[in-house]
Amino acid sequence: MTAATDPVRTLAVIGAGPRGTAIVERLVAASNGPHWQGGLTVHLVDPQVGRGGAVWSHDQSEVLLMNTTTCQTTMYPDESCHAVLPAQRAETLADHLAAEGVAPTDFASRAAHGRYLAHVLATAHADADPARLRIVEHAAEAVDVTGPADGPQRVRLSDGRVLRADAVALALGHLPTALSPRSQQLADAAEHHGLVHIGPANPLEVDYASLLGREAVAVQGMGLNFYDAIGMLTDVAGGRFEPDDSAPSGLRYLPGGGEPRLVVGSRSGMVYRPKPDLGAQMPEPWIPQVLTGERVLELAVRPAGVDHEHEVMPLLLAELRRALDEAGHHALANDAALIDLLFPFGRRGAAAPGTGTDPHRRTRDVLRQALRAASEPDPAWVLIYRVLIALRIQVNRLTDLGAYTTDSVRQDIDGHLRNAFASWASGPPVLRARQVLALEETGLLEFTGPRMHLDIDEEAGRYAVHGAEGTVTMCDGVLEAHLPPVDLPAYRSALLGAWRERGEVQKDSWASRGTRRRMLTGSIAVDGLYAPIGVDGTVYERRLMVGVPVSTAQPGSSITAEPGTGAQLLRHAEAVALRLARAGGALADDVPR
């Protein structure tokens, strides 16, 4: 990018969630350094600016919880990030919430994280010298960004204002999408038959009260959005969970009135297990000893591509066996026991032993076992949890490097392994698992098992929910308990819609080894890591994108940054901040690098 020559030097950051806030913080760090030249204005645009952004809004219900502990979140780079710019602060989420009596290994509410993000932004304001960097907030939506590929941009806001910017960073996060054809059929049936249908959405945008008074509601999805729905639905119903040592869940649910019976399932039937209750201190990350970084690189360059089941899965199992054997957990250190733990309903379409009798009981028992192990916590369970987190990173590296064949990605990675990893590494706090089981014990929740799908029974005017073993349950509501997909053509964002119409954005794709066949993703294609590519190949260097809409192009960037892990979220934020500052003429092209 060539630097701006206009005396009015301005930048724009669109999105004030974790990524947008981190970019602003890094701009402040740069502006306080010796290489900064002159003054610069940065416009921060978000309807929820100063409140944590849409997902983490600080005034949302305290019911919604994070699924990481407070000590696992920070907004400031540490030594592991190898930052070019100085780290002016070091306050983690745990530090910020200590005064509220929240422990480092507690799971805070999302609202609490929003308060932390608002605090980080307020601190950035205080740390910035207005003569060097002025931060201007706009509580509005950016509906379009126009301008030449390597020239000043115009940011049009929903309130009618138009901002000029030498460069723009877009940290858009999860965006609403149009309903898929199947979801639209379910929505049309709801309108025709007087049913209720709730499509994929941010839990904050869901009208859970619309489910009250229904006889039975099908819940599609058993991940974090499912657990969020449990918390929000019981809260809006006015129900209460009370301690009950005689119940397997440890809780007893007292209905508030109007709660529907929840019929819960998914394609895989894989319910997310609760995170282990680790007490006062988090364990050290597991360092792979079998599927090492060197082994990953060796696999990644095989010209024929890698088949996961035959070449990588044995290494995963060997890593787990070795860890368990060395720790003395010999009974679990065999492939049969490990496969049963990882895939309780089988993989590649093959049913696991013992899954053909009662899918509800099987799922409930898996969750009960996980709850007991997470609550104690069982040392073997914690060890498996640690190893799987490390192995997920290695498998993601193989995927990002294009090591796998296309068929292996479709059948093995997307087919079942991502779900297995997420079930262990991305689960909810123990409290949520207790609540789900308490609802099951009250008769308000049942599991369909794997292969859940929905039909519309026109004669009955109901949804027909099909589960494992051919069971069918009639429901008068559907909740699709997952976030909207990353899908450029389906995004309902006005800004991305305008780019689509002008051909200034295109889908990302990747080629697998062996066949070199390209697979389209729903993500946005970028040059390098950040600049979107138009359909004619034009690279829009003054628009820098980070986060969810470009997730396949920026692998490994989680929704929050964990201290001591070289968090990509913070490293991307610094790289974008430096490029913005250079485009705005506040830093020379060669300083700093």
Side-chain angles (χ1 to χ4, degrees):
M1 285 186 281
T2 55
T5 57
D6 193 305
V8 181
R9 305 187 306 175
T10 57
L11 305 171
V13 176
I14 300 172
R19 290 181 177 87
T21 301
I23 292 169
V24 171
E25 188 278 328
R26 291 288 78 198
L27 281 170
V28 172
S31 72
N32 289 330
H35 303 293
W36 193 263
Q37 302 169 4
L40 193 65
T41 295
V42 56
H43 297 280
L44 181 58
V45 180
D46 190 313
Q48 303 284 338
V49 68
R51 299 164 63 187
V55 172
W56 307 106
S57 178
H58 65 51
D59 56 358
Q60 67 181 279
S61 168
E62 295 285 331
V63 169
L64 290 176
L65 303 175
M66 299 182 68
N67 76 316
T68 53
T69 59
T70 63
C71 67
Q72 292 177 287
T73 298
T74 187
M75 286 297 295
Y76 298 107
D78 53 29
E79 290 181 357
S80 69
C81 293
H82 304 290
V84 172
L85 301 169
Q88 299 176 285
R89 305 279 178 172
E91 184 182 23
T92 67
L93 177 61
D95 296 331
H96 183 69
L97 295 180
E100 298 182 22
V102 180
T105 53
D106 284 346
F107 292 86
S109 69
R110 293 181 196 173
H113 187 217
R115 294 194 293 273
Y116 173 59
L117 291 172
H119 170 73
V120 170
L121 182 57
T123 302
H125 276 280
D127 288 344
D129 179 351
R132 288 171 162 247
L133 183 70
R134 190 168 67 100
I135 305 168
V136 181
E137 298 180 359
H138 301 272
E141 179 185 357
V143 297
D144 201 0
V145 175
T146 59
D150 193 23
Q153 305 293 295
R154 290 167 63 83
V155 182
R156 185 174 299 278
L157 305 185
S158 55
D159 60 12
R161 285 177 291 177
V162 178
L163 308 174
R164 179 204 173 279
D166 295 309
V168 180
L170 299 104
L172 301 178
H174 283 285
L175 297 171
T177 62
L179 292 177
S180 69
R182 183 54 179 160
S183 292
Q184 189 61 59
Q185 288 179 329
L186 297 175
D188 292 343
E191 184 175 356
H192 181 67
H193 294 294
L195 309 175
V196 61
H197 169 260
I198 296 176
N202 178 339
L204 288 177
E205 299 167 354
V206 172
D207 178 15
Y208 293 99
S210 67
L211 300 176
L212 299 182
R214 296 287 171 173
E215 179 183 347
V217 171
V219 181
Q220 287 189 304
M222 304 172 75
L224 291 179
N225 270 44
F226 157 61
Y227 285 102
D228 289 341
I230 294 301
M232 295 294 281
L233 180 60
T234 54
D235 182 63
V236 76
R240 299 197 322 274
F241 293 94
E242 294 190 346
D244 184 352
D245 293 339
S246 66
S249 65
L251 294 175
R252 178 164 51 100
Y253 182 64
L254 304 177
E259 291 95 334
R261 182 166 55 92
L262 302 178
V263 182
V264 182
S266 67
R267 176 180 56 84
S268 69
M270 185 78 74
V271 64
Y272 279 27
R273 299 160 168 90
K275 293 272 183 68
D277 186 350
L278 297 171
Q281 188 172 358
M282 297 290 293
E284 290 294 320
W286 178 261
I287 307 232
Q289 302 170 55
V290 178
L291 188 57
T292 61
E294 292 77 14
R295 182 64 67 88
V296 166
L297 294 177
E298 183 268 321
L299 290 166
V301 297
R302 292 186 181 179
V306 174
D307 180 90
H308 176 82
E309 284 297 291
H310 293 103
E311 299 178 81
V312 181
M313 193 66 201
L315 301 178
L316 302 186
L317 294 172
E319 186 83 54
L320 286 161
R321 289 196 311 270
R322 177 171 178 169
L324 289 163
D325 257 332
E326 290 181 352
H329 306 298
H330 306 300
L332 287 173
N334 65 85
D335 287 357
L338 291 171
I339 291 292
D340 187 54
L341 278 174
L342 290 173
F343 309 105
F345 285 104
R347 53 186 174 145
R348 272 196 172 178
T355 62
T357 52
D358 187 339
H360 169 78
R361 181 182 299 175
R362 171 69 170 165
T363 310
R364 181 200 64 194
D365 290 349
V366 166
L367 190 54
R368 279 183 177 176
Q369 177 193 14
L371 177 61
R372 285 194 300 270
S375 302
E376 294 173 356
D378 180 350
W381 187 269
V382 174
L383 179 58
I384 293 171
Y385 165 75
R386 291 169 58 212
V387 173
L388 287 177
I389 288 175
L391 291 177
R392 180 168 69 166
I393 293 171
Q394 301 298 68
V395 169
N396 285 343
R397 287 183 65 201
L398 285 168
T399 307
D400 299 336
L401 290 167
Y404 288 117
T405 64
T406 303
D407 288 343
S408 193
V409 170
R410 287 173 172 163
Q411 294 180 28
D412 304 321
I413 308 304
D414 292 341
H416 57 253
L417 191 66
R418 289 195 197 281
N419 263 347
F421 278 148
S423 172
W424 280 82
S426 299
V430 162
L431 172 64
R432 280 287 186 261
R434 290 193 188 283
Q435 292 174 342
V436 166
L437 287 170
L439 289 180
E440 186 273 335
E441 291 157 10
T442 310
L444 287 172
L445 187 150
E446 65 179 84
F447 297 107
T448 70
R451 302 183 297 282
M452 179 193 198
H453 72 277
L454 274 67
D455 286 332
I456 301 162
D457 189 322
E458 298 289 353
E459 184 175 345
R462 293 288 185 271
Y463 297 115
V465 182
H466 300 261
E469 315 310 322
T471 57
V472 179
T473 306
M474 305 303 286
C475 293
D476 54 353
V478 169
L479 169 63
E480 297 189 61
H482 52 88
L483 287 169
V486 177
D487 188 10
L488 174 59
Y491 279 141
R492 291 195 282 111
S493 159
L495 189 157
L496 293 182
W499 285 6
R500 283 197 306 261
E501 288 183 10
R502 296 194 298 268
E504 295 174 359
V505 68
Q506 63 170 283
K507 273 188 177 183
D508 185 34
S509 64
W510 66 276
S512 70
R513 291 194 177 274
T515 64
R516 306 306 300 175
R517 282 185 296 164
R518 298 203 71 82
M519 289 180 61
L520 286 173
T521 74
S523 183
I524 291 173
V526 293
D527 179 67
L529 285 173
Y530 309 112
I533 305 170
V535 294
D536 63 355
T538 299
V539 177
Y540 289 86
E541 294 186 1
R542 295 297 182 101
R543 307 171 188 176
L544 306 176
M545 303 195 71
V546 290
V548 176
V550 288
S551 54
T552 60
Q554 293 173 9
S557 185
S558 301
I559 195 169
T560 58
E562 183 175 354
T565 64
Q568 289 214 54
L569 185 153
L570 299 178
R571 290 193 283 131
H572 286 318
E574 179 171 273
V576 168
L578 290 171
R579 289 185 64 168
L580 290 176
R582 292 185 186 113
L587 288 177
D589 282 346
D590 58 344
V591 180
R593 285 291 183 185

